Amino acid sequence: MINKLYPWQNSLFSHWMQAGETRHHALLLHGKTGIGKLHFAQTMAAALLCLRPQQGFACGECESCHWLSEGAHPDFREITPEDDDAADSGKKKTRKRQQILIDQIRALHDYLSLTSHRVDGIRVVLIHPLEAMNVAASNALLKLLEEPPQRTQFLLVSHQRQALLPTILSRCMQVEMPVPSREQGLQWLQAQSVPNPEWIWHYSGGAPTTIQQDEFDWHAWYQQLRPHLVGGATIDIAAAVPVLIKQGMEQAIQVLQKWLLDVWLSSHQQPLRYHPSEAAPLQALAGAVNMSRLLAFQQQLNRFKMTAQHPLNQELQLEQLLLQYKKMFA
Ligand SMILES: [Zn+2]
């Protein structure tokens, strides 16, 4: 599918499509994860390149649309992080810390120094996430943004604008991407026939697109995990770890972070953020928790998140984390 716009993006999309020649050559599409920024950028790229756009959208049928859906459009470049060192591990795919490297931007430079495939045709460069660029790559990109090649549209996607160099920011038009209202989000989830849309809406913190797109059944996963979390001091760590790791280390940490935040909110009589249907068990945990241990654990999870993509000993790391979880309630 070539048009992947979300209902809460419609007016922004028409705005930028109608801008035509007056559109800034580098749009920085920023906002939190899970609101559909990348799909917005992909939809826009397709529409800009399409030979017979219909009501502002790509037609899905012309030569350009075909090339794009085959990942072989001569006037389109997409840059995403690559493995910094290409060490292969034998068994299941391990995720390494990934970056956008200077060689990728150099290759882009070479590509853009050639003329476009079509006479007067536009070229589109999509980079995501922009914060994955290391400093050398950022500086190389800066040169391109300062002296943009003709008829080239940069679409830059970022979840963490604060992590970008100020020099890069100053060369872009910063576009804050809209978030869905509760009503829009729920309607959209229902239209996708997602089971438990209400639960997904809360659990995703109002940013439902990531959680929906990989056909993993989050709610079923949570149901398996729930007894362990609710158990507090009685958690069976050996049984909990294999469930927790199912969606990788990053998600394991996130699930703990969300749960801890709600324990904290419950202990301060605040409305729950991610688990509004778990008021009773959360209150019980909040009554038993050692607050300074909870805060220390939260900080540790934040630090862990930075290294969550390292493949080393994930089960062992999770065991240690859950031991700390247990101790919070001891
Ligand atoms: Zn087309």
Side-chain angles (χ1 to χ4, degrees):
M1 198 179 70
I2 211 154
N3 296 316
K4 301 184 261 194
L5 213 61
Y6 296 92
W8 52 92
Q9 299 175 329
N10 285 332
S11 59
L12 187 71
F13 185 77
S14 353
H15 169 78
W16 284 113
M17 287 307 293
Q18 283 161 12
E21 295 285 313
T22 64
R23 192 172 45 239
H24 195 279
H25 66 274
L27 297 183
L28 174 64
L29 310 172
H30 67 87
K32 64 176 172 176
T33 311
I35 57 173
K37 300 185 296 298
L38 180 58
H39 284 165
F40 181 95
Q42 287 168 336
T43 305
M44 191 163 169
L48 291 170
L49 292 165
C50 177
L51 303 175
R52 293 191 295 273
Q54 295 179 356
Q55 291 160 350
F57 286 92
C59 72
E61 287 168 359
C62 69
E63 202 176 31
S64 172
C65 287
H66 279 301
W67 282 336
L68 203 59
S69 56
E70 283 163 16
H73 200 299
D75 292 328
F76 177 67
R77 282 291 180 277
E78 182 168 0
I79 295 183
T80 57
E82 286 183 0
D83 284 345
D84 202 356
D85 76 70
D88 246 354
S89 90
K91 38 181 188 173
K92 69 175 177 184
K93 200 177 154 200
T94 51
R95 298 182 62 199
K96 302 181 64 65
R97 196 146 198 79
Q98 292 186 316
Q99 289 192 324
I100 293 173
L101 306 170
I102 188 164
D103 285 350
Q104 293 171 271
I105 306 296
R106 282 198 188 122
L108 178 65
H109 210 286
D110 292 345
Y111 162 72
L112 290 173
S113 65
L114 307 169
T115 51
S116 83
H117 174 75
R118 278 186 289 144
V119 183
D120 289 338
I122 192 171
R123 279 182 299 191
V124 180
V125 175
L126 169 57
I127 307 183
H128 66 92
L130 200 61
E131 57 272 16
M133 283 192 307
N134 62 24
V135 175
S138 293
N139 286 326
L141 178 67
L142 188 61
K143 290 205 183 76
L144 279 173
L145 297 179
E146 280 170 348
E147 291 167 37
Q150 281 207 325
R151 308 263 305 136
T152 300
Q153 179 68 56
F154 288 89
L155 299 174
L156 311 169
V157 174
S158 173
H159 314 301
Q160 290 174 289
R161 184 179 51 155
Q162 71 281 10
L164 302 172
L165 294 178
T167 43
I168 293 276
L169 292 175
S170 70
R171 292 292 168 181
C172 301
M173 167 69 78
Q174 298 182 36
V175 181
E176 186 177 350
M177 294 300 287
V179 297
S181 67
R182 182 186 145 86
E183 196 188 358
Q184 286 170 325
L186 281 176
Q187 255 177 23
W188 177 76
L189 284 166
Q190 274 152 6
Q192 312 302 304
S193 314
V194 175
N196 304 294
E198 183 90 25
W199 182 86
I200 294 273
W201 171 255
H202 287 295
Y203 186 74
S204 70
T209 74
T210 325
I211 223 160
Q212 192 276 329
Q213 83 197 204
D214 53 15
E215 297 169 359
F216 184 73
D217 189 341
W218 292 90
H219 186 254
W221 179 50
Y222 174 74
Q223 287 302 325
Q224 288 175 21
L225 198 56
R226 181 186 179 279
H228 299 293
L229 295 173
V230 169
T234 65
I235 185 173
D236 178 349
I237 293 177
V241 166
V243 183
L244 194 54
I245 195 98
K246 267 187 186 165
Q247 271 299 80
M249 193 66 173
E250 223 176 318
Q251 286 302 332
I253 290 174
Q254 255 187 47
V255 90
L256 290 173
Q257 284 180 317
K258 288 177 177 181
W259 185 255
L260 285 190
L261 179 67
D262 275 350
V263 172
W264 188 89
L265 288 169
S266 179
S267 71
H268 289 75
Q269 287 84 45
Q270 299 288 317
L272 301 174
R273 171 111 182 255
Y274 298 109
H275 312 84
S277 57
E278 303 281 28
L282 282 164
Q283 204 177 0
L285 289 174
V289 75
N290 175 318
M291 197 47 73
S292 62
R293 282 187 184 167
L294 183 144
L295 295 173
F297 191 29
Q298 276 180 325
Q299 282 172 6
Q300 200 192 354
L301 287 173
N302 287 337
R303 283 196 299 275
F304 248 82
K305 207 174 180 179
M306 315 275 228
T307 55
Q309 293 185 348
H310 290 294
L312 294 171
N313 270 326
Q314 297 190 332
E315 279 86 359
L316 189 66
Q317 289 179 339
L318 280 185
E319 271 174 35
Q320 286 165 354
L321 288 177
L322 289 183
L323 191 62
Q324 267 188 277
Y325 180 75
K326 193 182 173 94
K327 282 183 183 161
M328 280 184 355
F329 305 103

